[in-house]
């Protein structure tokens, strides 16, 4: 089970929780119903505070207030920081699956892991109760043996609810009748002796009622385990439907690899219970003869697998357009020059060129082709819109261009022309395809407008579409990739550099807002993406083979439960004129330059947030409370941190021109109003600046009658949460309801909190869970029709309310729109472990270009050094932050001697800190890492070069940096300085780097 949880109102510790459950045991005081009651109606109750139970760590029996309603007026609390509660002697009359109802109190969302009879543990995310004096219940299913059992509740190093008692009642699991039956293909059992199991994976028994074939399955696929099906026979090469019969009581993911191909990640939905079969299908390509299919947990938790079935299917039909002859547009009949730009009208078409590229449009076919430097890179381009039916520009009766339609333009991109082609047909609205061509730019912009006499409505406009075999051909074929970008940084989302030869399950690989289609060997590639983010979420869908793309659609109207977190379709825009997103299209000799150019073009349209009212422009340096204290933040801890930094850090190079921030994250409201004011005074007295935290678009509570702060009782939270067309609240995401950014109550709430923060003297704010403000729904403002329109309104209001008086750092947030914060987290939460460092650097590998273009700084999240697991891993965490662009924040407990030592050793190296203070993101050397991180990054800064090299394994490794491939001077002898040790060496052409397990190194390279 992969449940995901965010702690409290808090920062994003959205934990992809490892769950596999079947293990519970409770304390005596069983209360069974009278004899003769059916077994499944008997309820057993066990008190948490029973003397027979075992408590470890900080866990303790506490008294309840009478009003709380705890049974026995006691409960077990303080389950945090490595504490457990074990119910012993949990006796039941019969073995089987039991519904366990946990009675608990938790003033904020918390989690616990449950382990029954010493088996594997399952992690559960419990919603908050109304407050810390109100009981709630949470139900889950566990499997118990006849007689005595034990049930262990474990905080797993985090914070768990207070527990009053548990109740057990036998349940009757069975096969979900809504699951479709398997097909009629060839079936292969997971437990077959022909298969290969590794790691924790093992053959496990199924219950009779589960109805596994053969009554066996393979389970415990977690923590680096694999199940490989061997000798999968196919009569012929081709596409097959793979039907996986599986069991998973919670949503889990698995990576599936066919033969030696690339692993494909899939997210499987939860089945009804851990004793209910489900079915998940996908398309795979098999070779004739014997094949292997490997299920890999990727270090997480995957479902139990009963069997697979393979059914021959046909390849997805491309139904391609005939794109030959697009350039057959007849003789030139008119032309005009606009600087370096030439617009030429031909008998049956037109050309637009600026000396770098040429757009050819055929007015007979309605198709376009794009050439760069004399080579056709894309052909068969048209536009479409979804109204009552889909309208394609190429199918219109007339495609009209006249020289009179050419307009001169001058904007942030430069000088150029706007050229409009009108697609007309009787009875249809006019579809305009609009090109903007600029002097000296390697890119152009394309958009569409649809005009009608009557009001039009749509939630999908696609200014750039192709459906042609080999329609995009970048001209080199060494290692061709398509970049898949996530919508935001929630749920530990990763970028993916996917092979271009992907034509199955392509809905899994829709990129958000942008893509790059490139050869990692030559680095040449095409960059495509939206530069307007006022009303649309833009998606890029694609399909390819033979190192070329056969399908491409760049469209406004993208939503996805996994990417944008939407449960509703994209909102519909209405009017007599509908406008698509504006799309940049450019070819570059190095796709990395293209991505940076894409960022710069976006910054032209919506400039990054400026620094005003004395807010320091440099890299923010300091400390954040979440990694150190999470929900236990207190006034005394804040003061201790401030004093420690004054004494040990800020005069030892861990500062930026004397500026140090001490930031209180979620749970700052543990402090009283007076304590908050006093904490700011202490921080300021110590020569530091105070920071605070807020989530403007989320509600963590359940009480819809709760008055909204700052509204004088006029609005309740039931008024301001976002709802669907039927008036139902949108489902929670990350444990929180979405707040409608356009509601006056939401705006008054922002004013209330931001005024408080400014009045207290806070100068930095971390704003979190912003993606909730972009969800599709029915908004208070009737003019707002889409989630992105609402998000823009809410974020603009936030900026107005803050008034430019604070450094604004966006935490969990969409990539676009980008103009509302000085920094944005480049990834989800980073806990300091080596695995999370690698995850963060995946986001740098494909997202470094945001730094200095759309955001002044990119935030790698705080550094919790004590959680590294080794000195080398902690140092690698610092290096990852140094090269990321950066918001340079520590988050260790200054009362921990081990943490103190690491902070003094790793945060006071002047040479290393000077690199961080440059605020420049390093770029990757390689872009073919799939969903992983590159391991070598480079930065050119003036005449100097910097190189960071990482080892993400726990084994020693040797890495070689090829200077030419890395873009470093390779002919002359270079001086190489290790910035951590200050040791220098000489190198020419390449550098061999010896690394211990988890180690990384940071070098400065100078060439005379």
């Amino acid at each position: 089970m992969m449940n995901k949880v965010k702690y409290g109102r808090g920062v994003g510790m959205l934990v992809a929780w490892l769950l596999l459950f079947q293990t519970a045991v409770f304390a005596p005081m069983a209360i069974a119903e009278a004899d003769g009651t059916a077994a499944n109606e008997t309820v057993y109750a066990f008190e948490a505070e029973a003397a027979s139970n075992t408590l470890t760590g900080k866990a303790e029996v506490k008294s309840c207030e009478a009003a709380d309603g705890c049974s026995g007026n006691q409960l077990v609390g303080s389950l945090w920081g490595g504490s457990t509660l074990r119910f012993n002697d949990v006796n039941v009359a019969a073995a089987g699956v039991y519904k366990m109802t946990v009675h608990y109190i938790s003033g904020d969302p918390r989690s616990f892991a449950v382990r029954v009879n010493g088996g594997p543990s399952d992690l559960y995310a419990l919603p908050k109760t109304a407050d810390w004096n109100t009981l709630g219940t949470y139900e889950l299913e566990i499997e118990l043996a006849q007689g005595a059992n034990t049930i262990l509740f474990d905080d797993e190093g985090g914070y768990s609810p207070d527990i009053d008692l548990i109740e057990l009642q036998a349940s009757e699991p069975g096969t979900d009748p809504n699951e479709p039956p398997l097909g009629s293909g060839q079936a292969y059992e997971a437990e077959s002796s022909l298969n290969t199991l590794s790691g924790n994976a093992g053959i496990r028994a199924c219950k009779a009622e589960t109805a596994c074939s053969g009554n066996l399955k393979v389970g415990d696929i977690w923590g680096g385990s694999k199940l490989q099906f061997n000798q999968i026979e196919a009569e012929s090469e081709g596409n097959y439907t793979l039907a996986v019969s599986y069991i998973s009581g919670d949503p889990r993911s698995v990576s599936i690899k066919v033969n030696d191909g690339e692993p494909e990640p899939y997210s499987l939905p939860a089945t009804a219970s851990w004793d209910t079969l489900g079915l998940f299908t996908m398309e795979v390509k098999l070779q004739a003869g014997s094949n292997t299919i490997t299920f890999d947990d990727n270090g997480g938790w995957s479902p139990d697998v009963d069997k697979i079935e393979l059914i021959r299917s046909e390849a997805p039909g491309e139904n391609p357009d005939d794109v030959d002859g697009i350039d057959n547009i007849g003789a030139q009949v008119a032309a005009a020059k606009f600087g370096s730009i030439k617009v030429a009208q031909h008998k049956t078409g037109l050309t637009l060129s600026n000396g770098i590229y040429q757009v050819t449009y055929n007015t007979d076919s309605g198709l376009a082709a794009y050439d760069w430097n004399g080579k056709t890179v894309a052909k068969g381009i048209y536009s479409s819109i979804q109204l009552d039916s889909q309208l394609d520009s190429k199918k219109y009766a007339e495609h009209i261009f006249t020289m009179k339609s050419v307009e001169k333009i001058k904007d942030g991109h430069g000088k150029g022309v706007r050229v409009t082609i009108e697609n007309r047909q009787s009875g249809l609205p006019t579809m305009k395809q609009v090109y903007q061509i600029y002097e000296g730019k390697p890119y152009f912009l394309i958009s569409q407008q649809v005009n009608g006499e009557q009001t039009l409505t749509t939630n999908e406009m696609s200014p750039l579409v192709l459906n042609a075999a080999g329609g995009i051909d970048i001209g080199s074929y060494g290692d061709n990739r398509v970049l898949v970008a996530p919508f935001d940084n929630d749920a530990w989302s990763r970028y993916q550099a996917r092979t271009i030869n992907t034509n199955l399950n392509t809905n899994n690989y829709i990129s958000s807002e942008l893509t790059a289609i490139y050869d990692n060997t030559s680095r040449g590639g095409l960059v495509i993406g939206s530069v307007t983010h006022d009303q649309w979420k833009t998606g890029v869908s694609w399909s390819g083979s033979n190192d070329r793309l056969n399908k491409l659609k760049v469209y406004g109207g993208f939503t996805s439960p996994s990417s944008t977190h939407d449960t509703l379709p994209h909102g519909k825009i209405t009017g007599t004129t509908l406008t698509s997103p504006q799309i940049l299209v450019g070819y570059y000799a190095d796709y990395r330059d293209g991505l940076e150019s894409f960022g710069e073009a976006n910054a032209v349209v919506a400039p990054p947030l400026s620094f005003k009212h004395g807010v320091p422009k440099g890299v923010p340096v300091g400390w954040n409370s979440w990694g150190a204290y999470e929900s236990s933040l207190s006034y005394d801890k804040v003061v201790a941190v401030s004093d420690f930094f004054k004494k040990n850090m800020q005069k030892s190079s861990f500062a930026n021109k004397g500026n140090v921030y001490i930031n209180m994250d979620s749970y700052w409201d543990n402090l009283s109003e007076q304590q908050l004011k006093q904490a700011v005074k202490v921080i300021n007295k110590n020569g530091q600046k105070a920071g605070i935290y807020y989530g403007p678009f989320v509600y963590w509570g359940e009480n819809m009658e709760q008055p909204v702060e700052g509204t004088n009782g006029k609005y309740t939270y039931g008024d301001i949460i976002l709802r669907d067309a039927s008036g139902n609240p949108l489902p929670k995401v990350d444990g929180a309801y979405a707040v409608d950014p356009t509601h006056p109550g939401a705006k008054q709430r922002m004013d209330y909190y931001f005024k408080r923060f400014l009045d207290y003297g806070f100068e930095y704010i971390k704003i979190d869970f912003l993606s909730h403000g972009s969800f599709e729904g029915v908004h208070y403002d009737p003019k707002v029709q889409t989630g992105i329109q609402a998000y823009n309104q809410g974020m603009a209001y936030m900026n107005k309310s803050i008034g430019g008086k604070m450094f604004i750092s966006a935490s969990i947030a969409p990539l676009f729109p980008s103009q509302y914060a000085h920094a944005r987290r480049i990834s989800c939460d980073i806990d300091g472990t080596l695995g999370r460092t690698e995850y963060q650097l995946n986001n740098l590998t494909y997202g470094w270009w945001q730094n200095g273009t759309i955001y002044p700084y990119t935030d790698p999240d705080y550094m919790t050094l004590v959680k590294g697991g080794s000195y080398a891993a902690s140092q690698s965490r610092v290096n990852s932050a140094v090269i990321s662009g950066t918001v340079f924040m520590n988050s260790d407990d200054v009362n921990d001697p081990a943490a103190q030592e690491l902070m003094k050793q790793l945060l006071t190296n002047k040479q290393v800190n000077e690199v961080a203070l440059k605020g420049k993101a390093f770029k990757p050397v390689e872009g073919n890492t799939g969903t992983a991180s590159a391991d070598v990054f480079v930065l050119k800064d003036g005449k100097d070069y910097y190189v960071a090299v990482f080892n993400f394994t726990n084994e020693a490794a040797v890495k070689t940096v090829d200077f030419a491939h890395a873009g470093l001077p390779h002919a002359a002898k270079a001086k190489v300085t290790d910035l951590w040790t200050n040791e220098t060496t000489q190198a020419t052409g390449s550098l061999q780097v010896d690394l211990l397990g988890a180690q990384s190194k940071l070098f400065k390279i100078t060439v005379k």
Side-chain angles (χ1 to χ4, degrees), residues 173-416:
T175 301
D176 186 345
N178 296 317
E179 286 294 346
L182 289 174
S184 55
Q186 177 64 48
Y188 297 87
E189 296 291 340
E191 68 273 14
S192 169
S193 60
L194 298 174
N195 297 340
T196 304
L197 281 63
S198 65
N200 302 304
I203 297 172
R204 306 287 183 257
C206 284
K207 290 187 175 181
E209 58 266 34
T210 306
C212 294
S213 59
N215 294 319
L216 294 172
K217 63 181 179 180
V218 170
D220 289 332
I221 306 174
W222 63 275
S225 303
K226 296 180 182 179
L227 160 63
Q228 180 173 298
F229 287 83
N230 298 316
Q231 299 183 26
I232 304 296
E233 299 296 327
E235 290 185 3
S236 59
E237 178 180 332
N239 296 321
Y240 290 76
T241 297
L242 172 64
V244 182
S245 180
Y246 72 101
I247 303 168
S248 189
D250 57 83
R252 291 195 173 187
S253 61
V254 66
S255 179
I256 298 176
K257 182 176 74 171
V258 178
N259 298 321
D260 293 323
E262 276 199 31
E264 304 266 0
Y266 295 95
S267 297
L268 278 63
T271 53
S273 73
W274 277 101
D275 295 296
T276 304
L277 283 169
L279 189 67
F280 187 84
T281 62
M282 67 207 72
E283 296 295 310
V284 296
K285 187 173 184 177
L286 300 181
Q287 63 191 14
S290 184
N291 297 263
T292 61
I293 299 178
T294 304
F295 289 67
D296 188 336
D297 62 43
N298 277 335
W301 295 72
S302 293
D304 297 348
V305 180
D306 173 26
K307 65 178 179 180
I308 61 173
E309 190 169 355
L310 288 154
I311 307 160
R312 189 71 164 90
S313 60
E314 296 300 320
E318 296 294 343
N319 190 27
D321 289 324
D322 180 3
V323 296
D324 291 332
I326 290 177
D327 57 349
N328 295 330
I329 55 177
Q332 179 177 303
V333 296
K337 290 274 288 184
F338 303 86
S340 63
I341 298 170
K342 179 181 178 181
V343 179
Q345 183 175 8
H346 291 248
K347 184 177 179 181
T348 57
L350 64 142
T351 59
L352 314 171
S353 61
N354 71 347
I356 301 171
Y357 59 77
Q358 176 172 291
V359 175
T360 301
Y361 191 101
N362 189 306
T363 52
D364 276 350
S365 66
L367 298 175
Y370 305 151
D371 298 5
W372 273 267
N373 302 315
K375 176 174 174 51
T376 299
V377 175
K379 57 186 178 182
I381 306 295
Y382 61 96
S383 302
S384 70
I385 185 173
Q386 185 68 44
L387 297 173
D388 293 334
S389 60
Q390 181 171 304
L391 302 181
D392 297 333
S393 63
K394 64 182 180 180
K395 295 180 180 179
Y396 272 67
E398 295 181 285
H399 315 287
I400 302 169
F401 166 76
T402 67
M403 293 296 292
K404 293 180 180 180
S405 71
V406 180
E407 306 170 68
K408 290 182 180 181
I409 57 174
K410 183 180 179 181
D411 55 28
H413 301 283
K415 294 181 179 179

Side-chain angles (χ1 to χ4, degrees), residues 24 62 394 461 670 884 917:
K62 294 183 175 181
K394 64 182 180 180
M461 295 186 74
N670 288 350
S884 291
L917 296 185

